[in-house]
């Protein structure tokens, strides 16, 4: 997979030699922590080897919505599922003697080749042998895991820090966490090592799913798949990115089969001692958060990659997650001290909250939305709705005629998105907390990227539409670049938004005519200024609609008395002779500043090549 990847320098060294028994013995200590190796040198056959592998990967408690005797053909209850022999079919000689077409008889050599090729799948591994002499030490892995929880876990709050134990956690979880944490170390070749850990973990996940399909219904398997998908998208390797998108549908389907999208009835009941009740609540909350994380992960492709999500809204029957304070409790007494029953009353269903928002009850509904994860779920849902309505309302849409009114639906959804984002940002802006700034940046990026995708198919037909409404679009691009400059947080969205917004603004700057030199009053408008009421980024939350309307009105109504110049931070005028070159340098600076995710360097190279050619 990574044969052409530069910079691994021995961390990942593929070989044409198939994995042999000696390599199996060498690598087994890394498969499952605390597992004592078993001598299988005297084994009598493949069944002994299978028993050994099952001892390394015992089947844990799994979650499966379908019963084993369910006759419904589209729902499969996960079982061993492996093919051990072929059924004995009694063939009628008369059937073999009569043919519909004269295709020619199969030769004995072809028949033998078919059997040999089939046997290859059980006799040889498709993966090259990997030297593990440079596998990170336990101390290094501990450092990467610590960096994950310190720098990334708050963005995807699915792994519970209070109960996480490296020596008890599954191998695929440890590798997935360590790979992402390695990106934040910013050490030389750390991104190459992260990709190598990603690939080793990908092999292990595939191996486990083939060893026993019940592994795919386990929480650790789904959690590892989510983290693998994020790193595959952000790591900068083309093959990993392709696989991430290919496995997204499988992830959604697995979550559906596990019942992760329907937690109306808890499957883990809290009884017994305080410790047991706390552990049960953590387990149930983990299942709920896994379901929401899969949903948000899938929905985010709409405003990140301009792609259709797989999960249907009809799947989602979930209450909102519990409060972050309860989730962050490190032990049972700390959890109990927060008075869970009072601190976390009966949570409304997701659709109830969303219905209140759309029924013009924004203030009342949003006053109860105090959690970061709740806000992220709601914003992603609204963005996804707008993306879907954008497809329906597009003039080139083959689905419905314009008279159906999808344009109005899109407009109402965008108005709701603006009002909701305004309300959320105003609450976050009251506190000068680093975590609030991180969330501000994420909300603003989703908001402005959603506007870009919703505007007249700009992202669908970029080069055809770039000459129309250039000044209107430039506001959204400038705001995104302002968020990345003032509120950087190594958010997984940042490389994509920097590239998309930067490329579009650079293209627009090349088509904008320079303003006439005259004695008229010249007034500059800075597109990436995030506030209309002050200089602090937090003030931006006080109003999201007014700055855009005011700026666009002034740009479009330059008259005899005033001429407005459109600029950015460090770019006085994007339309003058040096405007596009200055925008180019500004975008490259923002991309180069994103050191954690390897895909940012890919975008840097693409943008450099694009602008150099033009």
């Amino acid at each position: 997979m990574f044969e052409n990847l530069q910079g691994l320098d021995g961390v990942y060294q593929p070989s044409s030699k198939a994995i042999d028994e000696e390599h199996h013995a060498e690598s087994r200590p890394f498969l499952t922590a605390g597992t004592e190796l078993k001598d299988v040198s005297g084994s009598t056959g493949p069944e002994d080897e299978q028993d050994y592998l099952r001892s390394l990967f015992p089947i844990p408690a799994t979650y499966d919505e379908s019963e084993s005797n369910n006759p419904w053909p589209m729902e499969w209850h996960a079982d061993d599922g492996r093919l051990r022999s072929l059924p004995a079919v009694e063939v009628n000689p008369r059937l073999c003697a009569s043919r519909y077409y004269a295709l020619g008889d199969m030769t004995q050599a072809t028949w033998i080749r078919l059997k040999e090729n089939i046997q290859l799948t059980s006799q040889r591994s498709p993966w090259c042998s990997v030297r593990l002499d440079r596998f990170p030490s336990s101390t290094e892995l501990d450092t990467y895991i610590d960096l994950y929880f310190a720098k990334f876990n708050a963005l995807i709050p699915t792994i519970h820090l209070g109960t996480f134990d490296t020596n008890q956690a599954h191998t695929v979880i440890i590798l997935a966490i360590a790979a992402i944490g390695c990106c934040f170390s910013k050490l030389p070749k750390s991104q190459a090592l992260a990709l190598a850990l990603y690939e080793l973990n990908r092999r292990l996940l595939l191996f486990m799913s083939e060893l026993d399909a019940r592994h795919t219904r386990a929480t650790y398997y789904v959690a590892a798949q989510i983290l693998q998908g994020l790193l595959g998208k952000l790591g900068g390797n083309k093959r990993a990115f392709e696989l991430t998108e290919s496995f997204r549908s499988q992830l959604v389907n697995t979550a559906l089969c596990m019942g992760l999208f329907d937690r109306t009835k808890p499957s883990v009941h809290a009884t017994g001692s305080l410790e047991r009740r706390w552990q049960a609540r953590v387990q149930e909350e983990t299942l709920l958060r896994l379901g929401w994380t899969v949903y948000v992960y899938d929905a985010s492709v709409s405003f990140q990659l301009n792609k259709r999500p797989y999960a249907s809204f009809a799947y989602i029957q979930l209450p909102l997650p519990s409060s972050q304070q309860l989730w962050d409790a490190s032990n049972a007494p700390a959890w109990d001290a927060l008075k869970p029953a009072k601190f976390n009353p009966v949570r409304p269903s997701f659709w109830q909250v969303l219905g209140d928002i759309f029924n013009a009850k924004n203030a009342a509904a949003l006053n109860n939305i105090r959690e970061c994860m709740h806000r992220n779920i709601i914003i992603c849902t609204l963005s996804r709705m707008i993306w879907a309505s954008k497809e329906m309302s597009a003039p080139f849409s083959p689905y419905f005629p314009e008279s159906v009114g999808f344009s109005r639906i899109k407009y109402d959804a965008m108005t709701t998105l603006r009002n909701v984002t305004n309300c959320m940002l105003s609450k976050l802006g009251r506190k000068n907390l680093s975590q609030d700034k991180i969330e501000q940046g994420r909300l603003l990026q989703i908001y402005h990227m959603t506007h870009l995708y919703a505007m007249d198919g700009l992202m669908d037909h970029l080069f055809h539409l770039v000459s129309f409404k250039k000044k209107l679009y430039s506001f959204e691009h400038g705001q995104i670049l302002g968020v990345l400059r003032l509120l950087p947080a190594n958010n997984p969205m940042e490389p994509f938004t920097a590239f998309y917004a930067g490329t579009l603004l650079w293209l627009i700057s090349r088509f904008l005519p320079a303003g006439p030199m005259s004695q008229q009053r010249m007034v500059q408008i800075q597109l990436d200024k995030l506030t209309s009421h002050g200089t602090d980024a937090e003030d931006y939350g006080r109003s999201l609609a007014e700055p855009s309307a005011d700026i666009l009105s002034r740009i479009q109504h330059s008259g005899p008395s005033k001429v407005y110049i459109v600029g950015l931070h460090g770019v006085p005028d994007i339309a003058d002779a040096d405007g596009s070159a200055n925008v180019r340098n500004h975008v490259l600076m923002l991309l180069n500043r994103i050191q954690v995710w390897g895909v940012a360097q890919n975008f840097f190279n693409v943008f450099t090549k694009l602008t150099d050619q033009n």
Side-chain angles (χ1 to χ4, degrees), residues 409-449:
I409 294 174
K410 182 180 71 172
Y411 175 80
D412 291 342
M414 290 177 68
T415 301
T416 302
L417 175 67
R418 183 192 64 203
N419 294 338
V420 169
T421 308
N422 253 331
C423 184
M424 291 179 176
L425 289 171
S426 64
K427 294 180 182 297
L428 289 171
R430 295 169 187 170
K431 300 178 182 179
N432 189 19
L433 301 176
S434 59
Q435 191 60 39
D436 285 351
K437 291 182 179 180
I438 292 174
E439 190 178 354
Q440 282 178 328
R442 177 168 56 189
L443 292 175
L444 289 171
Q445 287 180 72
I446 295 174
Y447 173 83
H448 289 297
M449 285 302 299

Side-chain angles (χ1 to χ4, degrees), residues 347-359:
R347 289 166 282 176
S349 72
F350 168 64
W351 292 114
Q352 178 183 339
V353 173
L354 207 62
D356 289 342
I357 291 174
F358 273 102
N359 291 330

Side-chain angles (χ1 to χ4, degrees), residues 215-499:
H215 282 294
T216 63
R217 300 290 202 267
T219 54
Y220 62 76
Y221 195 95
V222 175
Q225 273 196 314
I226 294 171
L227 298 181
Q228 284 280 106
L230 287 167
L231 184 55
K233 188 188 299 182
L234 296 165
N237 181 269
K238 295 179 182 179
R239 174 64 172 151
F241 189 96
E242 179 182 323
L243 290 171
T244 293
E245 276 301 286
S246 299
F247 288 130
R248 180 165 56 87
S249 61
Q250 178 188 356
L251 179 62
V252 171
N253 186 66
T254 298
L256 181 64
C257 292
M258 290 176 64
L260 295 181
F261 293 145
D262 187 355
R263 309 302 305 169
T264 51
K265 295 181 180 180
S267 58
V268 183
H269 299 282
T271 58
S273 65
L274 174 61
E275 181 68 25
R276 289 174 63 87
R277 285 187 285 119
W278 176 59
Q279 292 282 352
R281 288 303 307 161
V282 169
Q283 188 175 352
E284 182 63 31
E285 183 67 19
T286 298
L287 293 171
L288 177 61
R289 288 177 175 246
L290 270 179
W292 276 123
T293 302
V294 172
Y295 167 77
V296 171
Y297 173 80
D298 179 60
S300 66
V301 301
S302 62
F303 54 81
Q304 274 192 1
L305 304 176
N306 198 25
K307 292 185 177 181
R308 181 183 295 279
Y310 290 120
S312 167
F313 284 133
Y315 296 165
I316 309 303
Q317 302 296 325
L318 296 171
L320 293 173
S322 69
S323 72
Q324 194 63 32
Q325 284 183 274
L326 280 177
W327 175 250
D328 288 338
S330 58
N331 52 50
W335 174 75
D336 188 56
L338 292 170
K339 306 297 182 186
K342 296 181 180 179
F343 190 84
N344 195 42
V346 177
R347 289 166 282 176
S349 72
F350 168 64
W351 292 114
Q352 178 183 339
V353 173
L354 207 62
D356 289 342
I357 291 174
F358 273 102
N359 291 330
K361 301 176 182 177
N362 301 53
L366 289 173
N367 281 337
N368 296 323
I369 304 299
R370 301 184 179 93
E371 300 296 327
C372 172
M373 196 168 185
H374 297 183
R375 289 187 285 263
N376 195 38
I377 290 169
I378 291 171
I379 289 295
C380 286
T381 300
L382 292 174
S383 177
R384 182 194 159 165
M385 287 179 172
I386 292 170
W387 189 92
S389 65
K390 177 263 298 185
E391 276 208 320
M392 298 295 101
S393 63
F396 52 83
S397 173
Y399 305 117
F400 301 102
E402 294 182 11
S403 59
V404 174
F406 279 100
S407 295
R408 180 65 190 180
I409 294 174
K410 182 180 71 172
Y411 175 80
D412 291 342
M414 290 177 68
T415 301
T416 302
L417 175 67
R418 183 192 64 203
N419 294 338
V420 169
T421 308
N422 253 331
C423 184
M424 291 179 176
L425 289 171
S426 64
K427 294 180 182 297
L428 289 171
R430 295 169 187 170
K431 300 178 182 179
N432 189 19
L433 301 176
S434 59
Q435 191 60 39
D436 285 351
K437 291 182 179 180
I438 292 174
E439 190 178 354
Q440 282 178 328
R442 177 168 56 189
L443 292 175
L444 289 171
Q445 287 180 72
I446 295 174
Y447 173 83
H448 289 297
M449 285 302 299
T450 301
H451 268 256
L452 286 182
Y453 283 120
M455 286 183 178
D456 298 343
L458 174 68
M459 302 295 282
D460 296 322
H461 298 277
L462 170 63
F463 295 100
H464 296 291
L465 296 173
V466 73
S467 58
F468 300 102
K469 301 184 181 179
K470 296 180 288 293
K471 294 179 179 180
L472 185 143
Y473 292 134
S474 64
F475 171 73
E476 303 295 344
H477 308 145
Q479 290 292 283
I480 292 172
L481 298 183
V483 171
L484 296 173
R485 180 174 62 86
L486 294 174
L487 301 172
N490 290 317
N491 188 296
M493 286 183 60
E494 290 180 6
F496 298 92
T497 53
F499 175 74

Side-chain angles (χ1 to χ4, degrees), residues 65 133 171 175 261 334 347 364 376 419 421 488 516 539 589 601:
E65 278 287 274
D133 55 316
T171 305
L175 288 175
F261 293 145
R347 289 166 282 176
N376 195 38
N419 294 338
T421 308
D539 292 335
M589 179 274 294
Q601 185 61 47

